[in-house]
Amino acid sequence: SKSINRVLASERPAILARAGFRLVRSSDRVQLARLLHERLLPVRTDAGAVPTPWEDLDAEARELNLSAVDALAGELLELGYRMVEGTRGRPLRLGQEELERLAAEEHERWSRVRLGQGWQPGAERDDTRRVHPDLVPWAELGEAERNVDRARVALIPELLASARRGVV
C-alpha cells in the first residue's frame, strides 16, 4: 500500500546511515539531463521530430529528461554494473546486446512516464491533445524511433566520463 511505501521511503536514509552511507543530491543531475537532451537533438531531427532546445523546454519536458538521467543508474545496475573506486580513465564499454536491452528499457520507461502524464497513443503527435504515436511497445516501435533510444543509451559512457571530468 501507499502508506507502507511512504514509511519505507522515509526510512531509507536511516538504513543507509547504519550501513555507513548517506544520500546526497547530485549537482550534476540537471547538467547531465541537459547534455543528454542537447546531444540527442540531431538524432531527433533525423527521426523527423522538431527538436526543442533545452532553454525552450517546459517543466514537464525537462522532468522527462531528468527522469532519463535518474533511470541510468538502475538500468546499469540491472546489467551488473557497479560504481567502484579506482576506475578513472577506463571508459565504460557497452556491448551491442546491452545497448539494445537498455534502449528497449529506456523506451518502456519513457512510455510509462508519458502515460502517467496523461498522454495517449495516437496516429500523429498532438501536444495539445497529449497524443503521441510512439506510445507503443518496443516491438511495435519504428526503426527511426528505436534509433533515438539507441542513441540515448549509446551516450551513457560519454555522460559518465563527462561527469567524472566535471565537464557537465
Side-chain angles (χ1 to χ4, degrees):
S1 83
K2 289 182 181 180
S3 62
I4 291 173
N5 290 336
R6 286 187 190 105
V7 169
L8 288 173
S10 69
E11 290 296 318
R12 282 190 182 134
I15 293 167
L16 289 169
R18 287 193 296 273
F21 297 96
R22 64 188 174 102
L23 293 175
V24 295
R25 185 173 299 275
S26 171
S27 61
D28 295 333
R29 181 175 181 250
V30 174
Q31 308 291 42
L32 286 170
R34 181 184 185 133
L35 180 63
L36 180 62
H37 177 79
E38 289 174 352
R39 297 281 168 84
L40 286 174
L41 289 177
V43 178
R44 288 189 181 106
T45 301
D46 290 347
V50 178
T52 305
W54 178 263
E55 294 79 21
D56 297 338
L57 293 178
D58 60 25
E60 185 177 77
R62 284 189 184 201
E63 187 57 40
L64 193 62
N65 282 279
L66 289 166
S67 71
V69 168
D70 295 343
L72 288 178
E75 291 166 354
L76 290 171
L77 187 62
E78 286 180 19
L79 291 175
Y81 289 98
R82 307 279 188 281
M83 296 295 258
V84 296
E85 291 295 321
T87 59
R88 288 210 182 271
R90 290 189 303 188
L92 173 67
R93 303 236 187 269
L94 296 173
Q96 193 59 42
E97 285 182 29
E98 293 170 323
L99 284 171
E100 194 68 13
R101 178 178 166 190
L102 288 172
E105 288 180 19
E106 170 57 22
H107 175 72
E108 298 304 327
R109 182 207 59 79
W110 173 85
S111 294
R112 282 191 308 276
V113 170
R114 278 300 201 200
L115 291 168
Q117 293 172 335
W119 287 72
Q120 297 295 320
E124 292 187 25
R125 182 172 179 163
D126 183 333
D127 290 1
T128 304
R129 292 183 23 240
R130 300 175 83 80
V131 173
H132 203 295
D134 299 331
L135 285 169
V136 296
W138 176 258
E140 298 173 24
L141 193 63
E143 198 61 24
E145 290 307 318
R146 282 184 180 206
N147 285 336
V148 172
D149 291 320
R150 289 176 183 127
R152 178 185 300 271
V153 169
L155 284 171
I156 290 172
E158 178 185 342
L159 291 172
L160 293 174
S162 295
R164 270 198 310 263
R165 291 189 312 265
V167 172
V168 296

